[in-house]
Structures are given as structure tokens and as C-alpha cells.
């Protein structure tokens, strides 16, 4: 690995997304990763192509030994500062990696979207999810599931 991923990409000391005020339709995409470099570029391209533009991305690596960091860094370097973060995961498997991502996102994020490293999302995936979840009454939990 060429870089210490405990330091966040784009010169952020910590993900502002977890501490900032968000617009009501902001989506924090939570991508859990382990040795997924071969599939990662296509997945990241599908995120960049989303019609719903109000999103941020946190990639949590769970101890990969492949070249994922090169792929993720190239992607992050093409995004606005503060939009993409690369962090070290707990190294306890995919379930704990996703749970740790939820902790990073925190309770102030209006929407969180789980993302597998091998998914390729349709361009309207986030737009459809946000539109549907906006119909959930305030104070009620909501869950939206879909295929890519």
C-alpha cells in the first residue's frame, strides 16, 4: 500500500459529512470493501453517474491486499473536496465493516445507502430511493431496498 488510509483523502482531517448540517435529501453512501479492486472502478463510475447529485461517499477497507487504494484515490481526486473519504475498517468481516460505516455516518445524515464493492448502480437508484423515503411520515423509520 502506498498510502496510510487513516488519513482521509482530499486533505480532510475527519469526514465533515458526519458532523455537518445536511440538506434534507443528502445521501451518505457507505461502501464496505475487501479486495475488490477488480470491480471497484465500475462501481464508482456508477455512483458518479447518479441523477441524484446530493451525496457523499465513505469507503471503508477491511484489510485488503489488492490495489483498491489506487482505484479509490483516483476517484476521490476527481470529486469535490469533502465528498469522498477512505477509511480503515475494523478488519472483522463485512457485517462489522458496514456497522462501523453506520457509526461513521452518524445520526445526522438524512439518508444512508449501503453499497457493496461489486454493485453497479442504475443512474436513478438514489433518486428513486430518496423519492420513496420522503413519503415516510416524520419520526417513523424507513427502509428502502432495491436491486442495483
Amino acid at each position: 500500500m502506498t498510502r496510510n488510509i487513516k488519513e482521509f483523502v482530499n486533505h480532510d482531517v475527519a469526514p465533515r459529512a458526519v458532523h455537518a448540517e445536511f440538506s434534507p435529501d443528502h445521501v451518505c453512501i457507505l461502501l464496505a470493501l475487501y479486495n475488490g479492486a477488480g470491480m471497484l472502478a465500475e462501481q464508482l463510475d456508477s455512483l458518479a453517474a447518479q441523477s441524484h447529485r446530493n451525496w457523499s461517499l465513505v469507503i471503508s477497507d477491511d484489510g485488503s491486499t489488492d490495489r483498491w487504494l489506487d482505484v479509490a484515490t483516483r476517484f476521490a481526486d476527481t470529486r469535490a473536496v469533502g465528498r469522498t473519504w477512505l477509511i480503515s475498517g475494523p478488519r472483522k468481516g463485512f457485517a462489522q465493516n458496514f456497522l462501523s460505516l453506520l457509526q461513521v455516518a452518524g445520526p445526522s445524515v438524512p439518508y444512508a445507502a449501503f453499497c457493496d464493492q461489486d454493485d453497479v448502480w442504475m443512474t436513478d437508484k438514489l433518486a428513486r430511493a430518496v423519492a420513496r423515503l420522503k413519503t415516510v411520515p416524520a419520526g417513523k423509520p424507513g427502509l428502502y431496498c432495491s436491486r442495483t
Side-chain angles (χ1 to χ4, degrees), residues 16-148:
R16 274 184 257 141
V18 300
H19 305 294
E21 298 230 359
F22 297 102
S23 66
D25 66 345
H26 181 84
V27 179
C28 185
I29 301 171
L30 308 174
L31 196 160
L33 181 73
Y34 181 75
N35 287 332
M39 303 160 278
L40 187 58
E42 189 175 6
Q43 167 59 341
L44 294 175
D45 288 345
S46 76
L47 299 181
Q50 289 299 298
S51 60
H52 180 84
R53 308 301 295 165
N54 189 2
W55 56 265
S56 57
L57 171 65
V58 182
I59 301 174
S60 177
D61 176 64
D62 214 31
S64 298
T65 57
D66 62 6
R67 310 268 310 154
W68 79 272
L69 187 57
D70 295 334
V71 176
T73 301
R74 274 193 307 274
F75 177 81
D77 287 346
T78 65
R79 305 290 111 195
V81 172
R83 188 153 183 197
T84 304
W85 300 279
L86 312 179
I87 63 173
S88 295
R91 296 181 180 222
K92 294 182 179 180
F94 75 92
Q96 288 300 313
N97 201 5
F98 276 118
L99 288 173
S100 71
L101 278 163
L102 276 175
Q103 289 178 325
V104 168
S108 64
V109 173
Y111 300 103
F114 292 112
C115 182
D116 291 327
Q117 66 193 22
D118 61 347
D119 290 347
V120 175
W121 286 4
M122 299 177 86
T123 58
D124 64 342
K125 181 180 178 92
L126 289 180
R128 285 182 288 119
V130 169
R132 179 65 180 122
L133 288 168
K134 281 183 175 181
T135 67
V136 176
K140 298 274 185 182
L143 177 65
Y144 177 87
C145 300
S146 74
R147 299 184 74 150
T148 60

